[in-house]
Structure formats: structure tokens, C-alpha cells
Amino acid sequence: MARAELNRLTGNVGEPICDDDDCPNVYRTRSGSFVIQGDVSHAFTPRDGEGLVEIPEHVLREAVRVLGW
């Protein structure tokens, strides 16, 4: 899936402002699932094919606000 196919929910308002695509973000896919971009976390070892990322709380709060939840 290409980044252009994702709806970026975060990084457009608030602190810090991320004008480029190298900061933590939450994206929504056409099917309604989410893609999370963040720093790699080593909190535990996930199953094969899965990964862990760490994002700041304000990024998740922004995504919830944008979705109107």
C-alpha cells in the first residue's frame, strides 16, 4: 500500500507541527484500519509479521479528535 492511499489524521495541528513525514503519525486506510508511524519499540518481541511502534499520547489524542470519537 502506498502512502498516497492513506488518510493522514495527525501532524497537521498542535505541537509539534510536522510538515514532513518523518514524525509520529496515525493514518487511516480505505478499509477503515489504521497504520501507525512511530519510533521502533523493543518493549517485547511480537510475533512474526508484526512490529511495535511507540507514539506520543498527543498524537493518539489528535487522531481521536479528528475522527470525532
Side-chain angles (χ1 to χ4, degrees):
M1 172 181 313
R3 186 185 301 233
E5 297 176 65
L6 302 172
N7 180 22
R8 184 173 170 177
L9 301 176
T10 58
N12 298 318
V13 297
E15 292 293 330
I17 296 174
C18 296
D19 293 327
D20 51 18
D21 293 325
D22 65 350
C23 56
N25 280 297
V26 177
Y27 300 86
R28 193 160 196 189
T29 68
R30 289 182 184 164
S31 67
S33 62
F34 298 93
V35 174
I36 309 297
Q37 175 185 357
D39 294 329
V40 174
S41 173
H42 300 286
F44 63 91
T45 303
R47 297 183 307 178
D48 286 345
E50 295 183 351
L52 303 175
V53 297
E54 184 174 345
I55 61 170
E57 181 178 327
H58 77 273
V59 173
L60 188 55
R61 287 184 180 272
E62 183 182 348
V64 168
R65 181 192 60 75
V66 167
L67 291 168
W69 294 353

